[in-house]
Amino acid sequence: EVQLVESGGGSGQPGGSLRLSCAASGFTFSNYEMNWVRQAPGKGLEWVAYIRKGGDSIKYADSVKGRFTISRDNARNSLYLQMNSLRAEDTAFYYCARDGPPDVWGRGTLVTVSS
Amino acid sequence: QSALTQPRSVSGSPGQSVTISCTGTSSDVGGYSYVSWYQQHPGKTPKVMIYDVTKRPSAVPDRFSGSKSGNTASLTISGLQAEDEADYYCCSYAGSYTYVFGTGTQVTVL
């Protein structure tokens, strides 16, 4: 079964950092581009970041550029999102998603930024 | 990176058809054949209903269909059923490995 499982969410303070992880299984992870997508509570979906199969091409939404870093470890079938300089508006469910536009989604992990 | 424009809500009676529009620009919807549609029930993960503008995953009922004309993509639900009541989002490739989602549409079955 194709599966994506996010972890690492929780509470963070403004200006702080959090690191999200996504464990992939059921498919050949290294063959797929990956994305992070977020959804603020009660709001719509927002694309956050993209990483190519080998990690050689990376893109970010303007809203997170310079603060978030996407990375992957194909040997560990894992995707990561390092979130620095957190802001209140980063509060959202963060989804790990395969390919683009995404065809498989994880269940999401909630990040809450509050003082 | 402006969000694609969708109607806030659409509604229909069981058995009727509804169509949701997704309007972008020539830099996203109009420029590529990579538009997907997602269904999201409250508290649930988005589920892909249509990909590559018109293709439907095998598990998705054929009541769901997609199309595109110019800078506007559309999702049509024929023979509306109670379980179709959900939020729907479009997503388009926007070039240079970036993506953009629509503003979302709430579908209500009357």
Side-chain angles (χ1 to χ4, degrees):
Chain A
E1 178 192 4
V2 174
Q3 200 169 10
L4 298 169
V5 179
E6 302 91 340
S7 60
S11 295
Q13 291 194 330
S17 299
L18 282 174
R19 188 187 193 220
L20 306 184
S21 298
C22 170
S25 60
F27 65 100
T28 304
F29 181 71
S30 59
N31 285 352
Y32 287 87
E33 303 168 342
M34 297 295 295
N35 290 274
W36 285 99
V37 177
R38 69 183 181 183
Q39 185 172 35
K43 302 296 184 182
L45 298 169
E46 179 188 15
W47 171 77
V48 172
Y50 158 95
I51 187 166
R52 208 168 177 184
K53 302 172 194 178
D56 56 325
S57 185
I58 287 173
K59 293 288 183 176
Y60 299 98
D62 289 344
S63 57
V64 307
K65 198 174 296 182
R67 301 186 300 120
F68 290 9
T69 302
I70 187 173
S71 62
R72 65 190 296 163
D73 184 340
N74 287 341
R76 287 189 160 84
N77 293 331
S78 293
L79 179 72
Y80 306 101
L81 186 67
Q82 178 66 43
M83 309 166 64
N84 297 333
S85 303
L86 287 168
R87 304 170 180 168
E89 54 264 36
D90 294 324
T91 294
F93 283 93
Y94 284 75
Y95 296 99
C96 168
R98 188 182 79 170
D99 221 345
D103 63 347
V104 176
W105 299 63
R107 300 188 69 153
T109 186
L110 179 61
V111 170
T112 303
V113 182
S114 173
S115 55
Chain B
Q1 295 180 346
S2 298
L4 307 175
T5 301
Q6 297 181 232
R8 184 176 296 270
S9 64
V10 299
S11 62
S13 300
Q16 287 188 329
S17 293
V18 295
T19 296
I20 304 168
S21 61
C22 169
T23 301
T25 69
S26 58
S27 296
D28 38 62
V29 175
Y32 307 95
S33 295
Y34 299 118
V35 177
S36 291
W37 288 91
Y38 304 93
Q39 177 192 67
Q40 187 180 34
H41 287 108
K44 300 297 186 181
T45 295
K47 172 187 175 183
V48 60
M49 307 303 283
I50 295 290
Y51 66 98
D52 293 352
V53 179
T54 61
K55 297 176 182 177
R56 189 178 57 251
S58 57
V60 172
D62 59 7
R63 303 183 288 105
F64 292 85
S65 62
S67 62
K68 189 182 82 165
S69 178
N71 297 335
T72 299
S74 299
L75 174 72
T76 297
I77 310 174
S78 306
L80 199 62
Q81 298 186 6
E83 59 262 36
D84 299 334
E85 186 162 292
D87 292 328
Y88 291 81
Y89 295 90
C90 59
C91 178
S92 174
Y93 180 62
S96 300
Y97 305 117
T98 66
Y99 297 88
V100 60
F101 282 90
T103 50
T105 298
Q106 183 177 52
V107 171
T108 301
V109 181
L110 301 172

